[in-house]
Amino acid sequence: MSIPSTWVAALVAILLTVIVLRIQYPKEIASLYSDLALTFILVWKFSVILTDFALVVRHPLTILYFNGGKLGVLLGAVAVVIQAWRKREKWSFEAGAWAIALTQAGFQISMVLTNDNTRTAELLTLMLMTIALLWALQTASEASIKSFASIQLLVALVQPVNLWSQLSVWLTVLFVGALFFIQRSLHKWKRKISG
């Protein structure tokens, strides 16, 4: 049995992000990120119960080998956004921006290293994702994380896979949007409490 390169790339990205967050921020931030990543993985993995219930009932061990596919990824992402919303007081905008940029750039760079694409696509991906990551980490501002998401879309256009099929791009857009929503709602909540 072989492991899909997307799984390897995702695990590498998650592990690297946990390590960097643990070094850069208090351990509670890295722990929160780990919780969010684990939530995503568990919901994605066990969503096969929803997507192929009859198969799981007939062969319960299929849970070990299958996952919920694209619907499972979407459900995992929604679960992460809900959990991040519930724990919004523990996040800072900067830590959220770092987590998104590190995870997505780590995933894209790992995908380049584990797959065979055209040299041009690989070089453009490596170059653009590295530049976007460094800028996002250096400033961690609203502008830099919006630019990171935009560069992610640009990188997706040079990939051999159709843009609409690239879930990682849409996850970046979703998570960046959620980060802005959580940040703004947290400011409103703090203003309401203080006065």
Side-chain angles (χ1 to χ4, degrees):
M1 180 175 92
S2 64
I3 298 174
S5 62
T6 52
W7 295 13
V8 173
L11 288 175
V12 166
I14 289 168
L15 289 173
L16 289 176
T17 302
V18 167
I19 291 167
V20 172
L21 289 177
R22 181 67 179 95
I23 293 168
Q24 186 67 22
Y25 294 98
K27 78 175 183 179
E28 292 79 25
I29 296 292
S31 178
L32 178 58
Y33 174 81
S34 298
D35 291 347
L36 294 173
L38 185 61
T39 296
F40 179 85
I41 291 168
L42 291 174
V43 171
W44 163 73
K45 188 70 175 147
F46 288 107
S47 62
V48 71
I49 295 169
L50 297 174
T51 60
D52 207 347
F53 184 73
L55 179 65
V56 173
V57 168
R58 281 193 316 272
H59 307 286
L61 289 179
T62 57
I63 290 175
L64 299 175
Y65 300 104
F66 296 108
N67 58 65
K70 289 181 181 181
L71 178 61
V73 169
L74 178 63
L75 293 173
V78 169
V80 164
V81 169
I82 291 168
Q83 187 175 359
W85 166 259
R86 289 181 53 233
K87 297 182 179 186
R88 65 190 175 273
E89 294 98 29
K90 298 179 182 178
W91 276 107
S92 68
F93 181 86
E94 182 181 294
W98 273 56
I100 292 168
L102 285 164
T103 304
Q104 187 53 253
F107 177 79
Q108 291 299 327
I109 291 168
S110 295
M111 286 297 289
V112 166
L113 298 175
T114 59
N115 290 309
D116 289 325
N117 289 317
T118 65
R119 215 32 100 199
T120 304
E122 288 179 346
L123 290 174
L124 275 172
T125 300
L126 287 173
M127 182 180 68
L128 290 173
M129 291 310 297
T130 301
I131 291 169
L133 175 63
L134 293 175
W135 187 33
L137 297 182
Q138 184 177 24
T139 60
S141 65
E142 289 189 11
S144 68
I145 198 66
K146 285 178 186 175
S147 295
F148 181 86
S150 299
I151 290 171
Q152 172 63 32
L153 284 168
L154 180 63
V155 166
L157 292 174
V158 300
Q159 303 305 315
V161 180
N162 178 334
L163 176 65
W164 300 109
S165 301
Q166 296 181 47
L167 289 177
S168 63
V169 173
W170 304 114
L171 289 178
T172 299
V173 171
L174 172 68
F175 291 144
V176 167
L179 178 65
F180 282 109
F181 177 75
I182 289 169
Q183 182 71 14
R184 285 186 175 80
S185 67
L186 189 57
H187 285 307
K188 286 180 186 177
W189 178 72
K190 285 181 179 178
R191 272 189 260 134
K192 188 183 283 188
I193 287 176
S194 65

